[in-house]
């Protein structure tokens, strides 16, 4: 297995530097405690992600995987340390600055899909394009949904789509802006085995087509084995 910690910073899409995350928890004494009344979710995590690679973040439930992914996207803030995306310290930016960076550089696939219920499939995929002022938002969204096999479901609302169809809409939304970096949090966790296999295959195909960097959280060793690199989190630490 390649060692992602020795990836060259010169070509790093992501640099994770002494990243720690603690939260207040009066019952923290039962597990990993760094300070009185605080629960340490991540502790001094360091690694780089090479541009264009695929990286799996693995570990047991509660190990800090999803928290780490949220920090990589700037959706949460660390207690110490930082994350650099293409050399930019994202926590030196304010919330608006991080949102702007996500709009131009990141796609995110959530386990629970996170589709907007009042928007149909094509409108959900159009949204990130519209937010950045793309004049061909509908055309690009329709073409992307066709690519994921949903050209006949453009006007269907999420509640009328199966779980696999909703996740394919979520993939289309993540890829439609052609971000250089895609993050995915247990993208098959809400799906049955057969549907999950189809979705994960599609995600890797789309990522290969676009040459983006893919970082995904998974508990499935077969999915992790498809990635070029793997990092393991245990009790908040990089193993």
């Amino acid at each position: 297995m390649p060692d992602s910690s020795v990836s060259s910073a010169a070509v790093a899409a992501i640099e994770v530097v002494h990243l720690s995350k603690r939260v207040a928890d009066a019952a923290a004494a039962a597990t990993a405690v760094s300070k009185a009344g605080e629960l340490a979710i991540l502790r001094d995590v360091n690694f780089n992600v090479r541009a264009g690679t695929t990286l799996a973040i693995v570990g047991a439930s509660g190990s800090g995987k999803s928290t780490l992914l949220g920090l990589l996207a700037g959706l949460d803030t660390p207690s110490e340390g930082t994350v650099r995306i293409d050399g930019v310290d994202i926590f030196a930016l304010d919330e608006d600055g991080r949102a702007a960076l996500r709009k131009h550089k990141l796609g995110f696939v959530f386990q629970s899909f996170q589709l907007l219920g009042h928007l149909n499939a094509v409108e959900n995929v159009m949204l990130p394009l519209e937010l950045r002022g793309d004049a061909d938002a509908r055309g690009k969204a329709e073409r992307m949904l066709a690519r994921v096999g949903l050209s006949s479901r453009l006007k269907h609302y999420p509640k009328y789509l199966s779980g696999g169809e909703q996740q394919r809409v979520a993939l289309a939304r993540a890829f439609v802006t052609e971000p250089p970096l895609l993050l995915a949090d247990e993208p098959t966790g809400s799906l049955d085995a057969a549907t999950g296999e189809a979705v994960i295959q599609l995600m890797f195909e789309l990522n290969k087509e676009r040459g983006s960097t893919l970082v995904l959280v998974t508990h499935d060793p077969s999915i992790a084995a498809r990635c070029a690199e793997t990092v393991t989190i245990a009790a908040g630490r990089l193993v």
Side-chain angles (χ1 to χ4, degrees):
M1 180 184 70
D3 183 357
S4 61
S5 65
V6 298
S7 300
S8 170
V11 293
I14 306 174
E15 300 168 72
V16 179
V17 184
H18 297 299
L19 199 64
S20 296
K21 178 67 177 181
R22 296 186 301 273
V23 295
D25 187 342
T31 53
V33 179
S34 58
K35 294 183 179 180
E38 288 187 329
L39 173 64
I41 300 175
L42 293 172
R43 295 185 283 185
D44 197 29
V45 173
N46 296 270
F47 65 94
N48 291 344
V49 182
R50 293 183 297 110
T53 196
T54 53
L55 172 74
I57 300 173
V58 301
S61 178
S63 60
K65 304 186 302 296
S66 292
T67 297
L68 174 57
L69 199 70
L71 288 167
L72 297 187
L75 297 172
D76 194 4
T77 56
S79 301
E80 283 101 24
T82 196
V83 173
R84 299 189 187 103
I85 293 179
D86 287 342
V88 176
D89 183 342
I90 67 173
F91 297 112
L93 305 173
D94 60 17
E95 288 187 14
D96 288 343
R98 289 195 294 275
L101 182 142
R102 284 192 295 271
K103 183 165 64 174
H104 294 287
K105 291 185 177 291
L106 293 179
F108 203 107
V109 180
F110 298 89
Q111 177 178 336
S112 55
F113 319 136
Q114 296 292 322
L115 301 178
L116 297 179
H118 65 286
L119 299 180
N120 62 31
V122 73
E123 290 167 343
N124 265 283
V125 179
M126 286 171 61
L127 186 60
L129 294 167
E130 291 178 323
L131 289 174
R132 68 181 196 181
D134 196 307
D136 188 30
R138 179 169 291 274
K140 289 180 178 179
E142 290 180 352
R143 290 190 291 273
M144 194 69 226
L145 283 167
R147 175 62 185 83
V148 301
L150 293 176
S151 56
S152 65
R153 310 288 272 174
L154 301 181
K155 296 183 179 180
H156 286 69
Y157 290 87
K159 66 181 179 180
Y160 299 117
L161 299 173
S162 69
E165 288 171 334
Q166 289 186 61
Q167 191 60 294
R168 281 189 281 161
V169 173
L171 284 178
R173 182 182 59 187
F175 278 103
V176 74
T177 59
E178 300 187 359
L181 173 62
L182 184 78
L183 306 178
D185 188 7
E186 297 280 11
T188 63
S190 299
L191 306 175
D192 63 73
T195 304
E197 170 62 25
V199 165
I200 205 72
Q201 181 65 30
L202 178 60
M203 185 174 71
F204 277 97
E205 287 176 3
L206 290 170
N207 192 69
K208 184 177 181 180
E209 286 174 10
R210 284 155 177 76
S212 51
T213 304
L214 172 65
V215 178
L216 63 88
V217 161
T218 185
H219 65 276
D220 186 334
S222 67
I223 294 175
R226 299 189 188 193
C227 293
E229 302 184 5
T230 303
V231 295
T232 302
I233 301 292
R237 294 188 184 277
L238 195 68
V239 178

